């Protein structure tokens, strides 16, 4: 259980498994309306998948960022693909999106409920704690994902 | 803080359905060294904030002294009233008085019957297990609460800023503490503190004023005052006390403390370079040799006023370089040679943290606590961290909202206790009856 008592809905982990088997590019999770469970908000569309031509990766990532709210918090999983000269790599990133201008209650509930979701998802390579768009910018995440861990 | 919230009358609990809460309205208590903060869960500020200091009247030999709590009680002039404080270094030192203080904070304006409200209390990360059990025992045995939870104040503050992982620097009254937090858990080995908080700063100001022979007057001593020119003797009419009716020395000290608080807010400032703070060679003269951004006038309650120049920086410099603290034989101070400054405790807190996590933590440095509002302090913390951990990923956050800065721990606890999902975490009366106070270690991590 998380520090807040917030639990996971049944769909959280199976969606992550789908992403691991490359059927999804990203998943965005949010708190349910009664604030008691974490549920799916949105998943990637088929177009976002198989961005084999790497320049398209940046485009797909921008599309994902656009789905994050400016004034509210979210969790997200993104299958980040890149090539820094050693061939194509792919790393799964876990995002805690908590913009500075979000309401304090939202910040509180998302940060205190994070460990429940995080621990249920095995196989995350990089964790990103984002409080503004610069912290989740393509270059920043590329640098984190391509570094050893 | 989310805007547009309405203030409710003091005795009314907030609507519990607003954020998925239960029907019960929990109480939240954040006991600090200088202030005890209490309020209803779900609200954004504590409705009842009282000094942790209290007054003790009478009580010789076989009779117990009468205790008075709250601003009105302890600021009133009463002959023989001693001002004391049940807290020390952020934790309870006097277990007879602390529960009475807490009860006063909870019942004087909020709830008449404590047995109807679950209670969440916050604690410092260095609270020993014995104290944690004792706190839970008081909640259930003395206050008779239906459910209880003890949350780490640093974790609450971290969550309230939207961070599950961070380095929390809390500049309180009795000390400065640094707490590394990962995924909502305190990295216990890294918790470090140094006695250079607001109280230390007060004594630095006292020391400086003593060195230039300026006595501190307190508001209660003054009946009326006349405006005088800078540096000229005060022309004030002082309150006279009949023999035996004078306030005690501890009362005087406490009242002076209120003046020193104003001094910190109006005149004190933290040096931010360029370069280290130049030493004072001869009093007055050397201070003209560097640019300290002009002087600031401070007027004491008796009307005496002075322009403070570079001294404004000297009184705060000890927080960062304890070697440079001001000392006076009659004023207590920590050892200038062995006491660690803020820069050193930050370095020490992160010493054993693994390198990957260290990066994440340094990217999320949070500054809270009333004394952190000192002008220029967060900038200095930033540059000290930059020296200790060179690298581009340093990111320091301190809310510009002073209320949130002072009550960060309380606010986090308030939201946590108001969440509907939190009911699974409360320790119930039944569980306490079954397992005893030892359950606090298992359940309140």
């Amino acid at each position: 259980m998380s520090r807040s008592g917030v639990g996971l809905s049944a769909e959280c982990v199976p969606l992550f498994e789908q992403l691991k088997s490359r059927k999804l590019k990203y998943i965005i999770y949010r708190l349910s309306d009664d604030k008691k469970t974490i549920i799916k908000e949105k998943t990637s569309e088929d177009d976002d998948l198989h961005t084999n031509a790497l320049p398209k990766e940046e485009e797909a990532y921008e599309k994902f960022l656009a789905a994050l709210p400016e004034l509210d918090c979210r969790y997200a999983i993104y299958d980040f693909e890149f090539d820094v000269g050693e061939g194509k790599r792919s790393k799964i990133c876990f995002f805690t999106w908590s913009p500075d201008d979000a309401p304090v209650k939202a910040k509180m509930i998302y940060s205190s409920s994070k460990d429940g979701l995080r621990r249920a998802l095995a196989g995350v390579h990089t964790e990103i704690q984002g409080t503004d768009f610069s912290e989740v910018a393509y270059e920043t995440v590329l640098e984190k994902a391509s570094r050893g861990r | 803080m989310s805007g547009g919230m309405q203030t409710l009358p003091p005795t009314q609990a907030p609507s519990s359905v607003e954020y998925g809460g239960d029907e019960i309205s929990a109480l939240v208590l954040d006991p600090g060294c200088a202030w005890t903060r209490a309020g209803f869960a779900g609200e954004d500020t504590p409705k009842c904030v009282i000094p942790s200091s209290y007054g003790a009247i009478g009580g010789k030999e076989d009779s117990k002294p009468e205790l008075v709590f709250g601003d009105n009680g302890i600021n009133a002039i009463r002959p023989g009233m001693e001002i004391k404080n049940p807290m020390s270094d952020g934790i309870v030192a006097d277990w007879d008085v602390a529960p009475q203080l807490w009860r006063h904070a909870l019942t004087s304006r909020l709830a008449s019957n404590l047995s109807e409200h679950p209670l969440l209390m916050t604690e410092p990360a260095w609270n020993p297990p014995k104290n944690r059990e004792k706190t839970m025992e008081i909640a259930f045995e003395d206050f008779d609460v239906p459910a209880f939870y003890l949350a780490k104040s640093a974790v609450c503050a971290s969550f309230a800023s939207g961070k599950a992982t961070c380095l929390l620097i809390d500049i309180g009254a009795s000390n400065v503490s640094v707490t590394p937090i990962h995924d909502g858990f305190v990295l216990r080995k890294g918790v470090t503190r140094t006695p250079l908080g607001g109280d230390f700063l007060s004594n630095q100001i006292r020391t400086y004023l003593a060195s230039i022979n300026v006595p501190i007057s307190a508001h209660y001593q003054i009946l009326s005052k006349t405006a005088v020119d800078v540096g000229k003797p005060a022309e004030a009419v002082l309150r006279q006390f009949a023999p035996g009716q004078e306030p005690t020395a501890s009362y005087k000290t406490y009242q002076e403390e209120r003046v020193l608080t104003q001094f910190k807010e109006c005149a004190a400032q933290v040096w931010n370079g360029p370069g280290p703070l130049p030493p004072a060679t001869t009093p007055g003269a050397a201070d003209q040799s560097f640019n300290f951004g002009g002087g600031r006038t401070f007027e004491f309650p008796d009307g005496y006023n002075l322009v403070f120049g570079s001294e404004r920086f000297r009184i705060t410099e000890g927080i960062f370089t304890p070697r440079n603290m001001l000392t006076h034989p009659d004023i207590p101070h920590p050892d200038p040679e062995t006491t660690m400054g803020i820069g050193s405790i930050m370095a020490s807190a992160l010493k054993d943290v693994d390198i990957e996590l260290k990066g994440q933590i340094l990217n999320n440095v949070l500054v809270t606590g009333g004394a952190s509002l000192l002008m220029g302090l967060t900038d200095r913390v930033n540059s000290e961290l930059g020296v200790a951990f060179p690298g581009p990923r340093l990111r320091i956050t301190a809310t510009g909202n002073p209320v949130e800065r002072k009550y960060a721990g309380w606010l986090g606890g308030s939201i946590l206790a108001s969440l509907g999902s939190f009911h699974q975490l409360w320790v119930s009366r039944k569980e306490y009856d079954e397992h005893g106070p030892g359950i606090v270690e298992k359940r309140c991590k």
Side-chain angles (χ1 to χ4, degrees):
Chain A
M1 200 197 305
S2 64
R3 307 304 312 274
S4 62
V6 166
L8 304 183
S9 68
E11 64 196 350
C12 290
V13 177
L15 277 173
F16 181 70
E17 295 303 324
Q18 280 188 44
L19 182 135
K20 280 211 286 192
S21 54
R22 326 221 61 181
K23 293 195 187 82
L24 290 173
K25 182 73 180 161
Y26 67 81
I27 311 162
I28 297 177
Y29 298 102
R30 70 170 174 92
L31 262 288
S32 62
D33 293 334
D34 67 3
K35 312 292 177 203
K36 287 185 180 169
T37 47
I38 295 170
I39 59 172
K40 171 194 102 170
E41 175 173 69
K42 187 178 190 309
T43 52
S44 54
E45 291 149 24
D46 287 348
D47 297 4
D48 302 324
L49 275 175
H50 315 300
T51 49
N52 288 336
L54 276 169
K56 285 186 82 177
E57 172 69 19
E58 201 168 337
E59 236 172 83
Y61 185 73
E62 293 302 328
K63 235 174 117 184
F64 156 72
L65 284 190
L68 295 176
E70 253 174 72
L71 295 175
D72 204 352
C73 308
R74 292 292 182 265
Y75 308 111
I77 305 288
Y78 189 92
D79 186 8
F80 200 85
E81 285 177 63
F82 57 90
D83 186 344
V84 285
E86 306 163 322
K88 203 167 107 178
R89 299 269 185 281
S90 135
K91 304 281 182 192
I92 296 176
C93 301
F94 183 107
F95 289 75
T96 311
W97 174 241
S98 180
D100 285 334
D101 294 335
V104 62
K105 285 188 179 175
K107 290 197 259 190
M108 181 80 200
I109 190 166
Y110 275 84
S111 54
S112 59
S113 308
K114 179 210 154 192
D115 62 321
L117 178 62
R118 175 64 190 88
R119 272 182 290 156
L121 308 181
V124 169
H125 179 270
T126 301
E127 275 196 48
I128 316 273
Q129 198 162 262
T131 55
D132 64 30
F133 281 103
S134 76
E135 285 184 288
V136 294
Y138 179 78
E139 294 300 328
T140 316
V141 177
L142 175 66
E143 194 248 318
K144 279 192 180 165
S146 57
R147 223 176 338 126
R149 218 178 75 98
Chain B
M1 192 156 305
S2 54
M5 287 186 100
Q6 288 175 355
T7 315
L8 295 167
T11 47
Q12 186 183 336
S15 150
S16 49
V17 288
E18 211 175 303
Y19 214 72
D22 288 349
E23 279 75 65
I24 44 159
S25 57
L27 290 167
V28 178
L29 178 71
D30 177 20
C33 255
W35 299 97
T36 300
R37 299 154 280 243
F40 286 113
E43 297 197 305
D44 55 6
T45 46
K47 276 209 170 99
C48 180
V49 180
I50 58 169
S52 299
S53 293
Y54 65 96
I57 305 166
K60 300 253 157 59
E61 285 135 35
D62 48 352
S63 72
K64 276 200 158 185
E66 181 204 341
L67 305 188
V68 291
F69 299 103
D71 268 313
N72 292 345
I74 68 172
N75 288 317
I77 307 172
R78 300 171 208 251
M81 177 170 74
E82 296 286 354
I83 303 294
K84 300 179 178 181
N85 190 309
M87 311 291 287
S88 167
D89 196 21
I91 62 177
V92 176
D94 183 341
W95 282 102
D96 276 337
V97 175
Q100 298 182 59
L101 173 71
W102 299 345
R103 182 185 281 279
H104 181 88
L106 292 167
T107 57
S108 62
R109 296 181 59 191
L110 301 169
S112 49
N113 190 351
L114 291 180
S115 67
E116 289 169 0
H117 303 270
L119 173 66
L120 181 142
M121 281 181 66
T122 64
E123 58 165 352
W126 56 91
N127 206 14
K130 273 242 160 63
N131 279 25
R132 310 185 73 219
E133 290 187 14
K134 183 87 184 158
T135 305
M136 182 175 256
E137 201 180 304
I138 281 158
F140 281 113
E141 310 274 344
D142 187 356
F143 298 168
D144 195 27
V145 298
F148 179 74
Y149 194 81
L150 192 58
K152 300 252 183 294
S153 175
V155 173
C156 288
S158 161
F159 283 161
S161 307
K163 295 174 190 304
T165 295
C166 82
L167 185 71
L168 189 94
I169 302 172
D170 183 23
I171 318 217
S174 63
N175 62 33
V176 177
S177 62
V178 179
T179 310
I181 296 169
H182 180 226
D183 273 356
F185 288 94
V186 167
L187 302 175
R188 214 177 284 185
K189 270 202 275 176
V191 181
T192 324
R193 58 195 202 276
T194 189
L196 304 177
D199 296 342
F200 165 76
L201 197 58
S202 293
N203 281 339
Q204 288 289 284
I205 302 170
R206 283 179 191 277
T207 303
Y208 175 69
L209 295 176
S211 77
I212 55 168
N213 291 315
V214 171
I216 306 167
S217 56
H219 291 282
Y220 81 93
Q221 297 172 308
I222 313 300
L223 284 179
S224 71
K225 67 177 176 187
T226 314
V228 293
D229 285 342
V230 172
K232 293 282 177 298
E235 290 171 27
V237 182
L238 299 185
R239 191 187 294 274
Q240 302 297 324
F241 295 96
Q245 296 299 299
E246 306 94 349
T248 60
S250 61
Y251 178 83
K252 182 164 184 290
T253 307
Y254 183 75
Q255 294 299 321
E256 286 169 359
E257 203 59 39
R258 300 172 77 196
V259 179
L260 296 177
T261 299
Q262 289 170 348
F263 191 94
K264 291 178 210 171
E265 288 167 357
C266 305
Q269 191 173 342
V270 175
W271 178 252
N272 269 299
L277 180 61
T281 42
T282 49
D287 294 340
Q288 309 305 322
S289 64
F290 69 96
N291 180 10
F292 51 83
R296 280 173 187 244
T297 313
F298 184 80
E299 185 184 310
F300 292 87
D302 60 5
Y304 180 75
N305 61 96
L306 263 186
V307 178
F308 293 88
S310 67
E311 308 83 17
R312 299 191 290 121
F313 300 97
R314 303 211 186 283
I315 53 175
T316 62
E317 187 59 23
I319 301 179
F320 294 93
T321 41
R323 257 183 304 109
N324 293 344
M325 73 171 72
L326 310 172
T327 56
H328 186 280
D330 299 335
I331 298 171
H333 59 81
D335 182 349
E337 296 305 322
T338 57
T339 305
M340 292 204 288
I342 291 190
S344 324
I345 62 165
M346 290 187 297
S348 156
L350 288 175
K351 193 173 56 196
D352 296 329
V353 173
D354 89 50
I355 181 110
E356 264 310 311
L357 187 54
K358 199 183 280 184
Q360 224 189 100
I361 286 179
L362 283 170
N363 206 4
N364 292 283
V365 179
L366 270 179
V367 181
T368 63
S372 75
L373 292 163
L374 203 60
M375 193 174 171
L377 185 126
T378 43
D379 291 339
R380 179 69 177 267
V381 168
N382 199 1
S383 57
E384 297 258 335
L385 266 176
V387 171
F389 304 99
R393 287 190 298 153
L394 192 62
R395 192 184 162 97
I396 177 163
T397 314
T399 163
N401 180 337
V403 175
E404 234 174 289
R405 194 94 73 90
K406 283 186 198 166
Y407 306 142
W410 185 89
L411 176 63
S414 161
I415 302 170
L416 204 57
S418 72
L419 298 177
S421 56
F422 195 73
H423 72 87
Q424 315 159 67
L425 282 104
W426 290 110
V427 177
S428 69
R429 142 86 41 198
K430 188 164 166 278
E431 290 170 300
Y432 173 80
D433 287 345
E434 245 166 65
H435 302 281
I439 194 172
V440 74
E441 287 303 317
K442 243 187 250 126
R443 293 286 297 280
C444 307
K445 285 186 176 145

